[in-house]
């Protein structure tokens, strides 16, 4: 067990390898658990010193809209956790412009700092990854 | 080549786990390696030995166990997702083990490809 | 890059999003319910046909056969079996599943 | 579920002594949990416990250990924001012991 990684064992094969990881979020929160469990993977990935980025596309943009209050559905409101990502050194958050617009949203409606990019730029970002994990 | 596989759905409800299995089998038949299959979300339900499908249906759980035994495939069930859904050591079928999400990230780092199956 | 899609284009937007975000020259493999996107005469056929100008479209034959649509495959779609699926993943530097 | 009586109130805990209902937490409960962990609570301990509670309230997660040390270094200074200091306070691991005393959810094993 390593203190540095918070209990995650790293073996030699993993050490020193830095890959580009993208977590692609395309699902809205609460209706299904994918958004929450995706966030759990993202937080773990921070311990591996990889080049991690998050992309929000389609209904995934609803994960980071401001003003989520979950008391009435008795589920945990995990939207504040996206703001913790910076402290985990995960600072590359991309939102597809077309997905935002299709939902009548703007950058001001989002609860974290993101880079809004158009489809073409998002497509290029995706294509240059080593590993894309989509939820 | 080494393929990591991520399975995000439970057995029978969704074809994802069938597709993942067929993919793994085909990859091994072609001489590739599948060192690890990681089960996440409802995918953790693939691991329970309490599964008893009718005799005329495929036995998804046993199929994974057999693949693990014959080809040294590491079947890893996410501990956090498992705990949420009542999947613990005492219900695991042969070949499965419970571990952390780090094993998924590690698969992405170490293997040549990571292929996701889900809904 | 290899894009893997498993949703019917008549039910969900995964095929649309994939076609919007796949760079020129990428490959798209249609599996499970997405094989309906590889058939002719549907409300989604035209856009898939149009996408072939920039993308290579593949469909998983066992999934088409299971759904009774093997005879309706659109011209230009390449059919593969699971072995071909493995080859596609191996041939492309990275892959992405549109769940 | 086992219950423990703290200051006249029955409080539910799990087999490992973690609070079942996080809303049950108060300083008396924290003192009890610390005693169970054989941790003698000093001002320095409270500083970390309170920090964890603030972090949790703000972000809804318990921080990974290296995030915790970094955040503590930023707020309380580098002499406190390091593993050595935190392990001196919580010998069995700040992630486990301090989170338990602070009434945060039990780490699931992958954080």
């Amino acid at each position: 067990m390593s203190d540095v990684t918070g209990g995650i064992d790293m073996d030699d094969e993993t050490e020193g390898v830095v890959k580009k990881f993208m977590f692609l979020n395309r699902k809205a929160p609460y209706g299904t658990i994918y958004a929450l469990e995706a966030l759990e993977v993202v937080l773990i990935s921070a311990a591996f010193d990889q080049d991690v980025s998050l992309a929000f596309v389609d209904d995934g943009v609803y994960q980071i809209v401001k003003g989520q209050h979950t008391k009435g559905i008795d589920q945990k409101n995990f939207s504040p956790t996206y703001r913790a990502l910076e402290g985990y050194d995960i600072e590359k958050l991309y939102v597809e412009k077309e997905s935002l617009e299709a939902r009548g949203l703007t950058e001001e409606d989002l609860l974290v700092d993101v880079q809004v990019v158009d489809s073409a730029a998002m497509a290029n970002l995706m294509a240059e990854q080593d590993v894309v994990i989509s939820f | 080549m080494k393929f990591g596989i991520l399975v995000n759905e439970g057995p029978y409800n969704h074809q994802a786990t069938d597709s993942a299995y067929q993919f793994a089998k085909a990859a091994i038949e072609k001489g590739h390696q599948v060192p690890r299959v990681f089960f996440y979300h409802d995918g953790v339900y693939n691991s329970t030995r309490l599964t008893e499908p009718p005799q005329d249906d495929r036995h998804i759980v046993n199929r994974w166990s057999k693949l693990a035994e014959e080809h040294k495939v590491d079947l890893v069930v996410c501990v956090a997702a498992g705990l949420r859904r009542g999947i613990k050591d005492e219900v695991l079928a042969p070949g499965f083990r419970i571990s952390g999400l780090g094993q998924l990230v590690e698969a992405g780092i170490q293997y040549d490809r990571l292929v996701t199956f889900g809904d | 890059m290899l894009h893997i899609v498993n949703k019917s284009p008549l039910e969900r937007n995964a095929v649309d999003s994939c076609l919007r975000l796949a760079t020129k020259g990428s490959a798209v493999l249609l599996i499970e319910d997405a094989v309906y996107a590889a058939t002719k005469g549907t409300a989604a056929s035209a856009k898939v046909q149009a996408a072939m100008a920039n993308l290579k479209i593949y469909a998983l034959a066992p999934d088409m056969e299971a759904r009774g649509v093997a005879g309706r495959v659109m011209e230009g779609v390449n059919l593969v079996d699971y072995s071909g699926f493995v080859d596609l993943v191996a041939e492309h530097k990275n892959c992405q599943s549109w769940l | 579920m086992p219950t423990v009586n703290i200051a006249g109130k029955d409080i539910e805990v799990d087999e490992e002594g973690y609070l079942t209902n996080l809303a049950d937490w108060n300083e008396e409960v924290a003192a009890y949990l610390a005693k169970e962990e054989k941790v003698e609570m000093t001002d320095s301990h409270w500083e970390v416990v309170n920090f964890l509670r603030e972090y949790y309230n703000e972000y809804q997660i318990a921080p990974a250990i290296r995030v915790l040390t970094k955040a503590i270094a930023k707020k309380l200074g580098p002499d406190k924001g390091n593993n050595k200091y935190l392990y001196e306070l919580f010998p069995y691991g700040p992630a486990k012991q301090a989170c338990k005393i602070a009434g945060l959810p039990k780490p699931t094993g992958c954080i």
Side-chain angles (χ1 to χ4, degrees):
Chain A
M1 295 283 242
S2 149
D3 292 340
V4 188
T5 61
I8 296 165
D9 289 316
M10 302 240 197
D11 54 35
D12 299 339
E13 272 186 78
T14 310
E15 253 173 39
V17 180
V18 178
K19 283 192 176 179
K20 288 173 91 76
F21 270 75
M22 175 178 273
F23 294 96
L24 174 58
N25 297 290
R26 290 185 52 245
K27 293 188 167 95
Y30 311 116
T32 60
I33 198 172
Y34 299 104
L36 170 61
E37 288 190 333
L39 190 52
E40 291 182 351
V41 183
V42 171
L43 292 169
I44 295 299
S45 74
F48 287 81
D49 295 319
Q50 301 295 302
D51 181 358
V52 174
S53 57
L54 264 67
F56 297 90
V57 170
D58 294 332
D59 280 354
V61 302
Y62 286 130
Q63 294 177 18
I64 49 172
V65 295
K66 286 176 185 163
Q68 300 179 32
H69 299 286
T70 58
K71 220 175 162 151
I73 58 166
D74 197 19
Q75 283 196 38
K76 177 171 160 166
N77 177 2
F78 56 93
S79 65
T81 307
Y82 293 97
R83 290 205 307 260
L85 292 173
E86 198 187 351
Y88 280 72
D89 297 322
I90 295 172
E91 288 163 342
K92 295 181 190 169
L93 276 62
Y94 302 103
V95 172
E96 191 206 13
K97 185 166 156 273
E98 286 76 356
S99 295
L100 265 187
E101 284 171 359
R103 284 155 187 81
L105 299 169
T106 66
E107 207 175 331
E108 281 72 57
D109 296 309
L110 307 179
L111 51 78
V112 273
D113 288 336
V114 298
Q115 274 177 265
V116 177
V117 298
D118 66 13
S119 300
M122 184 64 93
N124 287 330
L125 278 170
M126 218 176 273
E128 68 186 30
Q129 302 299 317
D130 295 306
V131 182
V132 182
I133 302 182
S134 172
F135 294 107
Chain B
M1 202 172 253
K2 288 181 180 173
F3 294 102
I5 293 178
L6 169 62
V7 177
N8 286 338
E9 287 303 317
Y12 304 106
N13 197 55
H14 195 283
Q15 197 188 344
T17 177
D18 292 281
S19 298
Y21 172 78
Q22 299 298 344
F23 180 88
K25 203 167 72 119
I28 290 166
E29 276 165 11
K30 293 177 76 83
H32 296 293
Q33 282 172 273
V34 180
R36 180 175 298 156
V37 180
F38 191 89
F39 296 90
Y40 196 38
H41 302 297
D42 276 2
V44 300
Y45 290 125
N46 279 280
S47 69
T48 162
R49 62 180 168 78
L50 303 175
T51 308
E52 268 184 71
Q55 281 90 342
D56 60 355
D57 199 353
R58 70 232 189 267
H59 197 306
I60 291 178
V61 177
N62 289 357
R63 214 164 58 172
W64 283 122
S65 290
K66 195 160 163 270
L67 196 74
E69 193 193 337
E70 289 173 359
H71 302 285
K72 295 195 173 53
V73 183
D74 186 19
L75 305 176
V76 182
V77 178
C78 170
V79 60
L83 283 174
R84 271 199 183 101
R85 296 166 176 83
I87 300 297
K88 297 182 170 190
D89 281 324
E90 48 267 43
V91 301
L92 290 189
F96 288 89
R97 68 185 178 96
I98 290 180
S99 190
L101 277 169
Q103 302 278 306
L104 168 62
V105 180
E106 197 186 83
I109 298 170
Q110 287 179 6
Y111 309 148
D112 302 296
R113 301 284 185 276
L114 182 67
V115 190
T116 304
F117 294 88
D119 189 16
Chain C
M1 185 170 206
L2 173 67
H3 296 268
I4 303 164
V5 190
N6 72 342
K7 298 291 184 301
S8 164
L10 305 167
E11 190 203 358
R12 309 251 211 123
N13 67 2
V15 169
D16 286 323
S17 295
C18 170
L19 297 181
R20 185 175 75 241
L21 289 164
T23 51
K24 197 175 158 71
S26 302
V28 175
L29 171 63
L30 305 165
I31 68 167
E32 299 172 9
D33 288 352
V35 296
Y36 295 116
T39 62
K40 55 190 169 195
T42 76
S45 298
K47 66 186 165 201
V48 176
Q49 191 80 57
M52 287 186 206
N54 290 320
L55 306 168
K56 288 199 88 167
I57 310 276
Y58 299 84
L60 195 66
D63 275 329
M64 296 204 79
E65 286 155 15
R67 287 161 177 79
V69 294
R72 312 176 71 89
V73 64
M74 204 188 288
E75 208 176 314
V77 172
N78 306 282
L79 293 181
V80 294
D81 56 9
Y82 287 103
S83 168
F85 184 174
V86 172
D87 289 339
L88 283 172
V89 174
E91 284 162 16
H92 293 85
K93 170 176 123 24
N94 52 8
C95 63
Q96 133 76 3
S97 298
W98 293 86
L99 304 177
Chain D
M1 279 289 171
T3 58
V4 292
N5 192 283
I6 302 167
K9 195 175 172 241
D10 282 331
I11 296 199
E12 251 182 58
V13 293
D14 70 6
E15 308 85 42
E16 291 171 61
Y18 284 83
L19 293 181
T20 309
N21 305 307
L22 302 184
D24 285 339
W25 190 93
N26 58 40
E27 291 196 359
E28 278 174 330
V29 171
Y32 171 86
L33 295 169
K35 217 170 138 192
E36 292 288 294
E37 288 288 317
K38 298 190 171 54
V39 170
E40 185 114 15
M41 292 296 282
T42 64
D43 287 349
S44 304
H45 290 86
W46 281 112
E47 210 169 46
V48 175
V49 164
N50 288 330
F51 181 89
L52 275 170
R53 287 190 64 79
E54 280 164 30
Y55 188 96
Y56 184 79
N57 283 337
E58 184 161 359
Y59 299 121
Q60 297 298 303
I61 46 164
I65 181 74
R66 71 170 182 175
V67 177
L68 173 70
T69 51
K70 208 173 75 179
I72 286 188
K74 206 170 150 192
K75 193 170 177 205
L76 306 174
D79 50 324
K80 295 181 178 178
N82 60 70
N83 275 332
K84 187 169 167 286
Y85 177 78
L86 293 172
Y87 270 87
E88 270 164 18
L89 294 175
F90 303 97
Y92 288 95
K96 193 172 166 289
Q97 282 188 309
C99 285
K100 187 177 187 177
I101 296 165
L104 268 48
K106 177 162 63 179
T108 46
C110 51
I111 298 185

